Amino acid sequence: MSNFELVLKLLLQLTIILVVCRLITIVGRRYFEQTDVVCEMIVGVMLGPSLFGLIAPDLQQWIFPNAPILLATGAKIPNPSMSILFAISQIGLVIYMFLIGLEFNTDLIKQRIKSAGLISGAGILAPFTLGAAAAFLLYGKAELFKPGVTPWAAALYLGASMSITAFPMLARMLYERGIAKTSFGTLALAAGSMDDATAWCLLAIVLASLKANLSIAIFAIGGGIGYVLLSIFVGRPVFTIFTRMTNRDGGVTVQTLTLVLIVLMLGSWFTDAMGIYAVFGAFILGTAMPRGEFAQQIQERTEYLTTAFLLPIFFVFSGLNTQIGLVNTPTLWGITILIIAIAILGKGIACMLAAKLAGENWRESATIGALMNARGLMELIILNIGLEQGIITPTLFTIMVIMAIITTLMASPLVALLLQGTSYVKSSV
């Protein structure tokens, strides 16, 4: 396939992705009160082999040729068309996780540190323990983990993947409903941000520890810790230059934005090279950036392009790896139900009980549980990492995607029901 043909195919793929995402999002928001993230997750599955491939397999494979190419030597390589989509989706993820880090508000955590810590701790410890136990239970009983993955490695990965919360979705729902600055909203945001930051650090450690060679694992963990420390204690003071440039120029200029992107790509490359993935480096770098006018303008100049154009590509690429037809036995459907139950019990119920223990009433506690239980985009990121790193099989990937969609799908209707007819006293945030 020539470069010209690849561009033609790419333009058609992007057109289909954007059109379908926009249509499903309009329907989902208007009639089902769902967020863009939920709708785009569903679109990813729709355009993959689970629906489009089932209805028109030849057309689906022509538009999204996911089958590898067999070389004369017998080796297999990914279809270049899919490699291009993958590369674009990864750039979108890097920028998006940088923006999430940029929005990470440590002041919220300081204000509700004890209550948020209790909820976040429950939201990490309970699902991690249940996920790890499930991995030991399921290991060897079905083709869920790739050959060579040890039971401990499987337990670490599944535990970490169960611990993820869709913090961007949580924050968006609270802001859209006008309760982000209430006492209850502040607690939910603080707990969600602590949960996600902890989960991503946990994932980095898990990925590093899965290296076959102990010295490589130590190098990866040491490199990750060094990167975090360097970002906080060296990067944060140095990055104040971006605030000075913004003030000097009367706003973020092309020159300032270019410098930020250079730093972002370098940091993402470093953590990827260390073996703990680019999105972790992007998130940590975002947390180290200065706040105020600089951060606000960076978001304004990059957020729409990232969320409207680049992220849908990631959802569709994930959908192409999701094959619901692989879950084709009563045993596998039983495992799927078990995973969903563990996800809800370990995250939603545990966080609800922790919020109640922290002093919230039952309605607010249940709302926090529903918000923390949503996995969203964050779950798809960790699942794609597991698939690419050769930890999980396409079957377990599909089961986990089903869990992510269901737990995320539940959040909006539950929150709307629980908050119906309530009012909150504004906090001093």
Side-chain angles (χ1 to χ4, degrees):
M1 187 177 286
S2 67
N3 290 338
F4 178 73
E5 290 172 324
L6 285 172
V7 171
L8 278 179
K9 182 63 67 71
L10 176 63
L11 293 175
L12 178 61
Q13 290 169 337
L14 295 179
T15 301
I16 293 171
I17 290 170
L18 296 177
V19 168
V20 178
C21 279
R22 186 75 301 207
L23 291 175
I24 298 299
T25 299
I26 291 172
V27 173
R29 291 181 70 91
R30 181 172 299 177
Y31 299 106
F32 300 100
E33 295 186 355
Q34 292 296 339
T35 63
D36 291 2
V37 170
V38 175
C39 298
E40 289 169 359
M41 288 173 70
I42 293 172
V43 169
V45 176
M46 288 173 59
L47 290 179
S50 299
L51 183 60
F52 188 19
L54 194 64
I55 297 171
D58 293 337
L59 181 60
Q60 195 270 344
Q61 270 299 303
W62 181 77
I63 297 174
F64 299 107
N66 205 24
I69 295 176
L70 183 64
L71 300 178
T73 58
K76 293 182 179 180
I77 61 171
N79 191 290
S81 180
M82 290 299 97
S83 297
I84 293 172
L85 277 183
F86 172 77
I88 297 174
S89 72
Q90 294 306 297
I91 293 172
L93 284 184
V94 164
I95 298 174
Y96 186 71
M97 289 305 297
F98 172 75
L99 293 177
I100 296 302
L102 202 59
E103 291 178 346
F104 191 80
N105 191 344
T106 55
D107 291 336
L108 290 177
I109 297 175
K110 293 175 184 176
Q111 291 170 11
R112 304 295 301 271
I113 183 66
K114 291 183 179 179
S115 299
L118 180 62
I119 296 170
S120 177
I124 291 290
L125 185 60
F128 185 90
T129 303
L130 290 174
F136 282 119
L137 178 67
L138 299 173
Y139 188 85
K141 293 188 177 181
E143 294 183 357
L144 303 178
F145 299 97
K146 290 287 184 72
V149 176
T150 65
W152 278 104
L156 285 173
Y157 175 80
L158 196 59
S161 65
M162 285 290 191
S163 305
I164 291 292
T165 287
F167 174 67
M169 177 180 168
L170 180 153
R172 182 177 296 180
M173 288 175 66
L174 291 175
Y175 279 109
E176 285 178 355
R177 296 178 187 277
I179 57 175
K181 293 183 180 292
T182 64
S183 177
F184 153 68
T186 300
L187 176 60
L189 284 170
S193 60
M194 288 179 67
D195 190 289
D196 251 18
T198 305
W200 280 109
C201 292
L202 181 63
L203 174 62
I205 295 171
V206 169
L207 289 175
S209 65
L210 292 177
K211 302 299 180 184
N213 189 307
L214 180 62
S215 62
I216 296 176
I218 294 173
F219 179 72
I221 294 173
I225 295 173
Y227 177 82
V228 172
L229 296 176
L230 187 68
S231 298
I232 294 173
F233 296 107
V234 178
R236 187 167 288 172
V238 170
F239 295 151
T240 57
I241 189 174
F242 293 130
T243 299
R244 295 195 295 271
M245 292 173 67
T246 301
N247 294 335
R248 181 196 67 195
D249 301 329
V252 172
T253 62
V254 172
Q255 178 186 2
T256 304
L257 180 59
T258 302
L259 288 175
V260 171
L261 291 174
I262 290 172
V263 174
L264 172 58
M265 294 303 142
L266 181 61
S268 302
W269 167 81
F270 178 80
T271 51
D272 219 355
M274 290 293 102
I276 51 178
Y277 226 70
V279 290
F280 176 77
F283 174 77
I284 295 298
L285 193 65
T287 63
M289 286 287 166
R291 300 303 190 259
E293 188 65 23
F294 161 77
Q296 182 180 343
Q297 291 197 22
I298 288 292
Q299 288 174 323
E300 290 173 352
R301 284 158 171 72
T302 57
E303 187 172 14
Y304 282 177
L305 179 64
T306 304
T307 56
F309 180 60
L310 296 175
L311 280 185
I313 300 171
F314 171 75
F315 286 116
V316 171
F317 189 85
S318 299
L320 295 175
N321 292 318
T322 303
Q323 305 174 55
I324 295 178
L326 292 175
V327 187
N328 55 6
T329 67
T331 299
L332 288 175
W333 278 112
I335 292 172
T336 303
I337 294 171
L338 175 66
I339 292 293
I340 294 170
I342 287 174
I344 295 172
L345 178 65
K347 198 73 169 182
I349 304 299
C351 288
M352 179 185 73
L353 295 176
K356 180 60 181 173
L357 190 62
E360 301 299 312
N361 61 47
W362 277 114
R363 185 191 292 264
E364 293 175 352
S365 298
T367 305
I368 289 176
L371 288 166
M372 296 287 284
N373 189 50
R375 266 68 176 188
L377 170 65
M378 301 294 109
E379 184 70 28
L380 291 187
I381 294 174
I382 190 173
L383 294 180
N384 275 276
I385 292 173
L387 192 63
E388 292 158 20
Q389 294 284 329
I391 302 170
I392 60 175
T393 63
T395 302
L396 183 55
F397 178 87
T398 299
I399 290 172
M400 294 295 287
V401 168
I402 293 172
M403 178 275 291
I405 291 175
I406 289 176
T407 56
T408 309
L409 202 62
M410 294 166 55
S412 290
L414 276 177
V415 170
L417 179 65
L418 290 166
L419 295 183
Q420 190 173 14
T422 62
S423 61
Y424 294 90
V425 178
K426 292 281 184 180
S427 70
S428 58
V429 182

